[in-house]
Amino acid sequence: MSEQIKKLAPVIWSEIQKANNILLCCHVRPDSDSVGSNLAMKLVLEKLGKKATLISGDDPPLNQLSFLPGFDSIKTSNFLNEVKNDEFDLFICLDISEPSRISQVEKFSTPLPIRTLVIDHHDTNTNFGDINLVEKKFSSTCELIYEIIEEVNPSILDSNIADCLYTGIWGDTVGFKSLNTTSETYKAAANLIAHGANFQKIISALTTMKLKFLRILGYAFSNAKQYFSGQVLITKISHEVFVGLNISESEIGEAKEYMTFYISQNEEAAVACVIYEYAPGKVSISLRSNNLSEFRDVAPIAQELGGGGHKQAAAGKMDANVDEAEKKLLKAIQKIYPNLGQP
């Protein structure tokens, strides 16, 4: 356990004890670490007798995570709509590196209009909270939440909280394969299993899919193209393709998770990219780097596109169609890594 956790975990716990009505919010395009850490924290807060509200934020949470305890309690609402009500006395901001990851519906400035605790593991975190616990070497925010619990109140951990935390750890490490996966990550996972985390159910839920998602995978595979002498692999999916396969806008995030996971398994590419149009004229680019023998940090590429993330997983979005987005992506890659040569 780090010295920073030992120092700040009691401070965070004290802030929670003083609060009565606490707000939690999933980040833009929430993944398993965002949903898992927020649901785990909500369960902890409720066990402490606190009123806790977890909102979805800009985008709906992945249906793929609907098996998690408390998933149905996630309120469909935007952060700015909630804080305008002025009923919360604390905002616990999990797995969010900067305010733009809270919401992109409207621009808002810091400090936020509510006392804010930031708990995160992103390299790009801007320390925008009143109290910031940022551990950049951690595999996931869920692992960080686990360590906080172990430091201040280990008896509060139960099977439901363990399910949520294990899910986020497994998802953000891509099945314990990321560079930030350590022996401590495995120890945390083992202890979560000992506390009742149903790892077989969790891994099955995160890796099995409906037929229409298998079909979008087939489309993504068959249309993938190599650039920079095979160092970069890109696949593009327009909104029309999603519609044609009966994948609704609320399911596109789940489809993206599958496509990104499997495209990034290509052994030749240093950078794997999924460009997808999640709404007409609205494109997101998901970047992965899983080839450790030809590793390329994808975070600077995402930052060049106005996004951010980790060395192995990052993303950005823009108003464009998929072809326009691909051109911008290729220019960004060439700028960040000129030694790759021409596309």
Side-chain angles (χ1 to χ4, degrees):
M1 184 175 297
S2 73
E3 290 303 315
Q4 188 178 21
I5 293 176
K6 291 178 181 179
K7 177 183 176 182
L8 288 181
V11 176
I12 289 169
W13 210 249
S14 176
E15 291 288 330
I16 289 172
Q17 296 291 352
K18 290 185 290 186
N20 294 307
N21 197 354
I22 301 171
L23 178 64
L24 300 160
C25 178
C26 295
H27 65 54
V28 175
R29 298 182 300 281
D31 57 10
S32 57
D33 195 27
S34 174
V35 176
S37 61
N38 276 287
L39 282 175
M41 181 60 74
K42 184 173 187 291
L43 291 168
V44 167
L45 295 172
E46 289 171 346
K47 289 186 77 171
L48 293 172
K50 305 298 179 180
K51 182 179 179 182
T53 301
L54 170 55
I55 59 173
S56 61
D58 288 1
D59 306 295
L62 301 173
N63 290 328
Q64 174 185 33
L65 301 172
S66 61
F67 68 93
L68 286 175
F71 183 88
D72 291 339
S73 71
I74 300 175
K75 180 181 178 181
T76 303
S77 182
N78 174 268
F79 175 78
L80 294 173
N81 290 335
E82 291 297 319
V83 295
K84 286 175 183 176
N85 294 333
D86 199 30
E87 62 181 79
F88 300 101
D89 47 21
L90 184 65
F91 173 38
I92 303 179
C93 188
L94 304 177
D95 200 40
I96 291 176
S97 59
E98 58 184 33
S100 66
R101 294 292 289 157
I102 300 171
S103 177
Q104 296 178 356
V105 173
E106 296 180 47
K107 288 186 178 180
F108 54 94
S109 59
T110 55
L112 299 177
I114 179 174
R115 187 159 180 79
T116 301
L117 306 182
V118 172
I119 302 172
D120 184 34
H121 72 123
H122 287 88
D123 291 336
T124 53
N125 193 283
T126 58
N127 292 302
F128 59 92
D130 297 291
I131 297 172
N132 302 281
L133 176 52
V134 179
E135 287 282 5
K136 298 177 181 180
K137 293 183 178 180
F138 269 60
S139 71
S140 56
T141 298
C142 279
E143 184 183 352
L144 186 46
I145 297 296
Y146 165 80
E147 292 291 350
I148 293 171
I149 292 172
E150 284 294 291
E151 176 66 16
V152 296
N153 193 348
S155 64
I156 207 166
L157 187 61
D158 61 23
S159 61
N160 286 336
I161 296 169
D163 272 347
C164 295
L165 294 178
Y166 188 96
T167 297
I169 291 172
W170 197 96
D172 242 30
T173 61
V174 198
F176 302 101
K177 292 190 294 183
S178 70
L179 290 173
N180 282 359
T181 304
T182 66
S183 60
E184 295 303 313
T185 310
Y186 277 96
K187 289 176 185 176
N191 198 30
L192 291 170
I193 292 171
H195 278 82
N198 189 339
F199 69 96
Q200 294 101 334
K201 177 183 177 181
I202 291 166
I203 295 171
S204 176
L206 294 177
T207 56
T208 58
M209 66 195 80
K210 297 176 182 177
L211 179 59
K212 59 184 172 182
F213 294 131
L214 286 172
R215 286 177 172 150
I216 197 70
L217 271 180
Y219 180 91
F221 291 154
S222 62
N223 287 276
K225 293 183 179 179
Q226 291 179 313
Y227 294 92
F228 299 100
S229 301
Q231 287 282 290
V232 175
L233 184 68
I234 298 176
T235 191
K236 302 179 293 185
I237 303 91
S238 69
H239 192 262
E240 287 181 351
V241 172
F242 288 120
V243 172
L245 290 174
N246 197 32
I247 295 173
S248 66
E249 287 190 11
S250 65
E251 293 175 316
I252 287 175
E254 185 173 352
K256 181 271 296 184
E257 289 291 316
Y258 295 129
M259 290 187 290
T260 303
F261 179 84
Y262 287 105
I263 285 290
S264 67
Q265 306 307 306
N266 176 246
E267 67 177 13
E268 300 150 310
V271 178
C273 317
V274 177
I275 301 172
Y276 64 101
E277 190 177 17
Y278 59 90
K282 303 285 185 181
V283 168
S284 185
I285 301 174
S286 185
L287 307 168
R288 296 292 184 272
S289 182
N290 289 332
N291 188 338
L292 300 185
S293 63
E294 297 289 343
F295 181 72
R296 302 280 177 170
D297 184 348
V298 294
I301 301 171
Q303 290 168 342
E304 183 68 20
L305 297 169
H310 302 288
K311 292 181 178 180
Q312 286 186 278
K317 70 177 189 176
M318 63 186 70
D319 293 338
N321 61 44
V322 292
D323 294 325
E324 293 166 342
E326 182 181 44
K327 291 177 183 178
K328 292 180 180 179
L329 171 60
L330 291 171
K331 287 182 180 179
I333 294 171
Q334 195 168 25
K335 179 180 178 180
I336 299 300
Y337 293 113
N339 61 332
L340 287 178
Q342 296 296 316

